[in-house]
């Protein structure tokens, strides 16, 4: 009797495992929400002389929502929406302000007040799925649109010789462009349809920054410089989150 009960329990467990395994393999849709750490890539991440935007963006955080529809066992379609908020490094604008100070023949100590860089993206594209038992690796390449908002930078310069202070400001600007994205995720089942996800993505585009003004004011001295350039704007996002398969 004991052997029969043990065998019966074993068969039930085996049946439940096979059923859940089959359900995971046949699942057609996946929805997940992730968040984590963000780093800039491209020209905004690298400092260069005489380029007030180079090196202006620092690390930050992101949030992302994803929906996958599996067309066949190994292939599907993935749509993603993401929001990035990255800190602003004021040093490139301070370097620019120091070049204005040289023209005045003075040296200043700077106090900076900055806002955040923001980059949003909507992407869609094909995805590949590699099943490893109940775990799954997902690979994707996407195309879509990005929207970027450059920060405000306000500098107050105090003259070391005690003279009149100077203000230098970078006004915010917005740009949008067609962009590309690519990445991968690892899905690990937790219970039922719920799964834990680790993800990594690269998102970027060649975007044009138009008529962004840097202005320096000190008494009767009022100088403005406009910047209009096309450059690569991008981020690398690494994070984790939860998802549901249905």
């Amino acid at each position: 009797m004991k052997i029969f009960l043990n065998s019966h329990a074993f068969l039930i467990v085996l049946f439940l495992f096979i059923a859940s395994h089959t359900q995971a393999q046949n699942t057609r849709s996946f929805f997940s929400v992730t968040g984590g750490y963000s780093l800039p890539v491209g020209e905004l991440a690298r400092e260069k002389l005489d380029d007030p935007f180079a090196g202006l963006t620092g690390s930050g955080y992101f949030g992302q929502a994803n929906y996958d529809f599996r067309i066949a066992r190994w292939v599907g379609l993935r749509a993603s929406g993401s929001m990035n908020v990255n800190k602003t490094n004021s040093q490139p604008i301070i370097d620019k302000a120091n070049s204005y100070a040289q023209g005045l023949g003075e040296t200043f100590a700077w106090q900076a007040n900055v806002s955040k860089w923001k980059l949003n993206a909507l992407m869609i594209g094909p995805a590949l799925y590699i099943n490893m038992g109940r775990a799954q690796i997902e690979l994707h390449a996407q195309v879509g649109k990005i929207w970027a908002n450059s920060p405000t930078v306000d500098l107050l310069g105090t003259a070391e010789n005690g003279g009149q202070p100077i203000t230098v400001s970078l006004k915010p600007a917005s740009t949008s462009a067609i962009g590309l994205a690519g990445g991968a995720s690892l899905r690990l089942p937790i219970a039922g349809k719920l799964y834990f996800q680790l993800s990594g993505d690269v998102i970027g585009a060649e975007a044009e920054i138009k008529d962004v003004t840097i202005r320096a004011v000190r008494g009767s001295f009022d100088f403005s410089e406009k910047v209009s350039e096309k450059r690569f704007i991008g981020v690398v996002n690494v994070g984790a989150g939860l998802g549901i398969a249905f």
Side-chain angles (χ1 to χ4, degrees):
M1 183 66 178
K2 185 176 181 180
I3 295 176
F4 173 78
L5 291 175
N6 288 340
S7 299
H8 189 62
F10 173 75
L11 290 173
I12 292 174
V13 171
L14 181 61
F15 172 79
L16 291 175
F17 174 79
I18 293 173
S20 63
H21 177 78
T22 302
Q23 182 181 10
Q25 298 299 321
N26 293 331
T27 298
R28 301 298 295 272
S29 295
F30 303 88
F31 177 77
S32 62
V33 177
T34 59
Y37 187 67
S38 172
L39 279 175
V41 293
E43 295 179 61
L44 296 181
R46 300 190 302 268
E47 290 192 24
K48 293 191 298 185
L49 295 176
D50 294 328
D51 187 345
F53 285 96
L56 194 62
T57 310
S59 61
Y61 56 89
F62 79 96
Q64 183 168 310
N66 311 289
Y67 172 71
D68 291 59
F69 180 76
R70 187 157 60 176
I71 300 170
R73 180 178 175 83
W74 305 102
V75 181
L77 193 65
R78 177 182 177 95
S80 304
S82 61
M83 299 177 64
N84 279 74
V85 178
N86 291 66
K87 71 179 183 180
T88 300
N89 298 322
S90 60
Q91 189 59 47
I93 306 302
I94 291 176
D95 292 341
K96 196 68 176 176
N98 282 329
S99 69
Y100 302 148
Q102 289 177 0
L104 295 172
E106 296 189 54
T107 303
F108 294 87
W110 301 100
Q111 292 181 337
N113 183 27
V114 299
S115 63
K116 302 284 188 180
W117 266 99
K118 295 180 181 180
L119 187 146
N120 302 325
L122 288 175
M123 296 286 171
I124 191 169
L128 298 177
Y129 308 104
I130 303 172
N131 299 306
M132 302 181 301
R134 295 189 64 206
Q136 186 180 76
I137 294 176
E138 175 271 333
L139 306 169
H140 58 270
Q142 298 171 299
V143 64
K145 193 165 186 178
I146 70 160
W147 295 265
N149 296 317
S150 66
T152 297
V153 180
D154 292 317
L155 303 178
L156 176 62
T158 303
E160 293 187 355
N161 63 3
Q164 193 174 13
I166 184 174
T167 60
V168 179
S169 60
L170 171 70
K171 298 305 179 184
S174 299
T175 187
S176 62
I178 300 299
L180 298 174
S185 61
L186 172 64
R187 297 166 177 163
L188 302 170
I190 298 175
K193 298 180 179 180
L194 187 66
Y195 62 87
F196 174 74
Q197 178 170 289
L198 295 171
S199 65
D201 282 274
V202 180
I203 304 170
E206 194 79 11
E208 187 173 7
I209 300 172
K210 294 182 179 179
D211 297 332
V212 181
T213 301
I214 303 174
R215 185 183 181 192
V217 178
R218 188 195 192 201
S220 59
F221 175 80
D222 191 337
F223 176 78
S224 295
E225 181 178 357
K226 287 188 176 182
V227 180
S228 295
E229 291 186 5
K230 198 169 187 178
R231 61 189 65 214
F232 183 81
I233 298 173
V235 289
V236 174
N237 294 333
V238 179
L242 297 174
I244 185 170
F246 55 96

